């Protein structure tokens, strides 16, 4: 049952069913909730249950309307295409939000992982949290449209430290609890972006991955066994504050020489003598050697920190996200080369670019809720088939 063992994933609390049958049923529901859809064969592999048990339990769940047949799973060749199962989308909606420094993003999705709406709204960086929350609640109501009564929970990503700002986090939670009356969960938005990439993006299907978000700030996510590893103090994944030179510049975290001081967008632009990433990208594309050297150096630094983490955790899969990744292969190549040189015992190391775009943090808010078994879906449950049958 490796796929469903806990791996130090923070505050998740799983209610344990009393009978083995209910326990096995909860494994199936849990997998569908995390992954969106799966064939019976995938459920067998994920849960370790026998084919007969999975077949019997999914039959019951279908009859009860807790699970539905959705689009066919990925075709595996000629012959019968296996049915894909998903949670009944009528079981409830999830709202995901991403409070960035200058904008909020909102996504609403159903229990089967279908996105029913999304939107973003900018605000000045100086906007107080009370106003940001009011903007976000209005935007969320618009995105939910008539679906608000089916809302099951809200997952919220917040830029910057969570543990260091309890008053801000509490104010945000209170605003959404008051507005919607459902459970609210919060986490760092860079970490949630990585979680979203592991569920729907560049790290999907990969049990262990390191995600680093390279924007003004540098943060990230450690995914182990398909779950976010938060660490004892909830700060795991802070790649940006790994020291690469103890005599280096002062970092906003009050240490010196952190990775972020060298590879945050502003630091890279300052070193390259440019004003925008578009300018820097254009210089790279026309073969400007100075620009190439600056980006290569940044990529090497990122690669060294990721190789260090990858060696300690034995995780060879890396996903790069954030604003700096508009530099594309100019940035990816030195990261990949550095990993290839410094990552031990992992000849299959991969470096990919994030795939989910600007709504990655809000999608991560959805995933945060879907991955939290303490939040029940309690909407109307009626037998129902979506598109496609086998
Ligand atoms: Zn720092």
């Amino acid at each position: 049952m490796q796929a469903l063992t806990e791996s130090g994933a923070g505050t998740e609390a799983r209610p344990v069913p009393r009978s083995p049958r209910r326990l096995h049923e909860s494994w199936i529901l849990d997998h569908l909730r995390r992954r969106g859809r799966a064939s019976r064969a995938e459920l067998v592999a994920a849960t370790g249950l026998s084919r007969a048990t999975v077949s019997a339990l999914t039959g019951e769940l279908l009859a009860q309307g807790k699970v539905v047949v959705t689009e066919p799973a990925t075709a595996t060749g000629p012959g019968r295409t296996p049915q894909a199962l998903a949670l009944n989308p009528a079981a409830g909606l999830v709202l995901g939000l991403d409070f960035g420094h200058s904008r909020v993003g909102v996504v609403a999705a159903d229990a089967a992982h279908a996105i029913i709406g999304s939107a973003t709204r900018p605000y000045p960086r100086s906007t107080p949290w009370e106003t940001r929350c009011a903007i976000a609640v209005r935007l969320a109501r618009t995105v939910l449209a008539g679906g608000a009564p089916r809302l099951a929970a809200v997952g919220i990503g917040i830029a910057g430290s969570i543990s260091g700002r309890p008053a801000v986090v509490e104010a945000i939670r209170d605003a959404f609890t008051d507005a919607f009356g459902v459970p609210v969960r919060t986490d760092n938005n860079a970490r949630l972006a990585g979680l979203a990439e592991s569920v729907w993006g560049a790290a999907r299907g990969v049990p262990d991955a390191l995600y680093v978000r390279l924007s003004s700030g540098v943060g990230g996510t450690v995914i182990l066994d398909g779950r976010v590893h938060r660490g004892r103090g909830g700060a795991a994944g802070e790649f940006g504050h790994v020291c690469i030179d103890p005599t280096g510049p002062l970092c906003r975290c009050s240490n010196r020489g952190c990775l972020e001081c060298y590879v945050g967008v502003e630091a890279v632009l300052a070193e390259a003598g440019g004003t925008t990433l578009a300018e820097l990208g254009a210089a790279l594309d026309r073969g400007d050697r100075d620009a190439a050297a600056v980006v290569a150096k940044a990529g090497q630094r990122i690669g060294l920190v990721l190789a260090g983490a990858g060696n300690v955790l034995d995780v060879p899969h890396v996903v790069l996200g954030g604003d700096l990744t508009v530099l594309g292969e100019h940035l990816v190549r030195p990261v990949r080369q550095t990993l290839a040189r410094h990552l031990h015992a992992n000849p299959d190391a991969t470096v990919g670019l994030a795939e989910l775009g600007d709504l990655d943090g809000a999608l991560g808010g959805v995933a945060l809720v879907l991955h939290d078994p303490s939040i029940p879906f309690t909407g109307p449950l009626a037998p129902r088939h979506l598109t496609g049958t086998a």
Side-chain angles (χ1 to χ4, degrees), residues 238 240-243 249-261:
E238 288 287 5
H241 300 286
V242 174
C243 178
L250 193 63
C251 180
R252 65 189 170 90
C253 76
S254 80
N255 286 323
R256 283 191 176 276
C258 295
L259 179 68
E260 183 177 293
C261 300

Side-chain angles (χ1 to χ4, degrees), residues 188-340:
N188 170 267
N189 65 347
R191 178 182 288 149
L192 292 186
L195 172 61
E197 290 292 337
S198 85
V199 178
W200 298 291
R204 67 185 174 279
V206 176
D208 305 322
L210 305 176
Y211 166 84
V212 59
R213 195 191 223 188
L214 301 151
S215 292
S216 290
V218 175
T221 318
V222 176
I223 302 285
L224 298 175
D225 281 337
R227 295 168 191 266
V228 171
H229 177 73
R230 291 185 168 78
R232 192 56 52 197
E238 288 287 5
F239 297 107
H241 300 286
V242 174
C243 178
I244 58 173
D245 180 358
T247 64
L250 193 63
C251 180
R252 65 189 170 90
C253 76
S254 80
N255 286 323
R256 283 191 176 276
C258 295
L259 179 68
E260 183 177 293
C261 300
Y262 301 93
V263 307
V265 168
E266 284 75 14
V268 171
L269 288 175
E271 201 172 342
T275 54
T276 67
L277 284 171
E279 273 183 23
L280 178 56
L284 291 166
D285 288 342
R286 65 173 180 264
D288 184 308
R289 289 189 178 189
D290 292 339
V294 168
V295 174
K297 187 71 187 165
Q300 287 158 11
R301 285 167 162 152
I302 295 162
L304 275 177
V305 168
L306 288 170
N311 282 333
V312 170
L313 298 168
D314 193 11
V315 174
H317 301 295
V318 168
V319 175
L320 306 179
D323 297 340
L324 201 64
T325 59
V326 298
L327 302 178
E329 197 58 22
H330 297 292
L331 178 72
V332 173
R333 195 181 309 115
V335 175
R336 188 184 293 124
Q337 288 169 343
T338 306
L339 277 171

Side-chain angles (χ1 to χ4, degrees), residues 350-379:
T350 62
V351 181
L353 286 174
E355 296 176 357
L356 298 177
D358 285 349
L359 284 169
D360 54 358
L363 284 165
V366 170
L368 177 69
V369 169
L370 291 170
H371 283 219
D372 184 343
S374 72
I375 296 177
F377 285 103
T378 56

